[in-house]
Amino acid sequence: MDAVSASFAELHRWMIWCQTMPTREAMLTFLQEDEAEFDADQRWGYSIFECASGELVGSAGLRRASVIDTDALEIGYWVRSDRTKRGYASTAARSLVDAGFTCVPNIRKIRIRMDAANAASVAVPRKLGFKFLGEVKREVVTEGHSGLGALWEIERRAHDA
Ligand SMILES: CC(C)(COP(=O)(O)OP(=O)(O)OC[C@H]1O[C@@H](n2cnc3c(N)ncnc32)[C@H](O)[C@@H]1OP(=O)(O)O)[C@@H](O)C(=O)NCCC(=O)NCCS
């Protein structure tokens, strides 16, 4: 709750789930659902803890891209606003790429998608060597959204190389 409320302005700008400050009950329900999805091998959500302070400073997760794309996973992330630009999101995303290709059977590609105007988020896959696949029109649902989504992908072959 502390990390989300300290980051509300930034999360509100980009994340659908943060259009109002989530209540403690809503967060608890989300974490319980996340745990169930983890056990069902559908979504693997993690909290990011800062080594020096031990504080929770964000969250990152892997999930199946879709029921049709059975060989693809997607990564999502957010980092507490007063801890950004320290490499936390890219470190978490790099670990999830390694975990996805190593631990989930038959995965050939891992994607990250975001709003095309979200420069901080775009910088993460670019830094990790993902390939830019292009932009697609999409619904505007938060105040930061531009109406264009950007899609990035890394293939197993490129990762292994
Ligand atoms: C996007 C977000 C997760 C980035 O987290 P972070 O921990 O600051 O990212 P990192 O420190 O790993 O930075 C990765 C790269 O992004 C760059 N970057 C970070 N913030 C940036 C910004 N505001 N503008 C441009 N580049 C930025 C960093 O410089 C770094 O590149 P470099 O190492 O080549 O210099 C964070 O800003 C955030 O939580 N935003 C709100 C939620 C959100 O938009 N989530 C993604 C939804 S798709």
Side-chain angles (χ1 to χ4, degrees), residues 43-161:
R43 190 171 80 197
W44 300 270
Y46 295 87
S47 298
I48 303 172
F49 289 92
E50 189 170 47
C51 293
S53 66
E55 281 182 59
L56 189 155
V57 293
S59 163
L62 260 181
R63 65 181 172 129
R64 296 197 182 272
S66 75
V67 277
I68 302 160
D69 267 341
T70 51
D71 61 351
L73 298 174
E74 269 191 28
I75 290 175
Y77 40 68
W78 66 270
V79 167
R80 185 179 161 130
S81 295
D82 57 9
R83 303 302 216 291
T84 54
K85 297 194 179 175
R86 299 180 189 200
Y88 293 168
S90 42
T91 301
R94 186 181 290 119
S95 303
L96 290 173
V97 168
D98 291 343
F101 283 134
T102 308
C103 303
V104 187
N106 307 318
I107 295 305
R108 292 198 315 148
K109 48 206 176 191
I110 298 183
R111 298 183 188 137
I112 303 181
R113 64 176 75 226
M114 73 287 293
D115 191 275
N118 189 343
S121 186
V122 165
V124 174
R126 184 186 291 133
K127 182 176 174 178
L128 298 184
F130 279 56
K131 191 172 154 195
F132 177 58
L133 295 187
E135 293 179 347
V136 284
K137 280 191 186 169
R138 67 173 197 176
E139 210 184 334
V140 172
V141 279
T142 73
E143 68 185 32
H145 282 177
S146 63
L148 281 180
L151 184 60
W152 294 75
E153 183 178 277
I154 188 160
E155 291 189 355
R156 176 185 283 279
R157 279 173 301 163
H159 172 261
D160 292 349

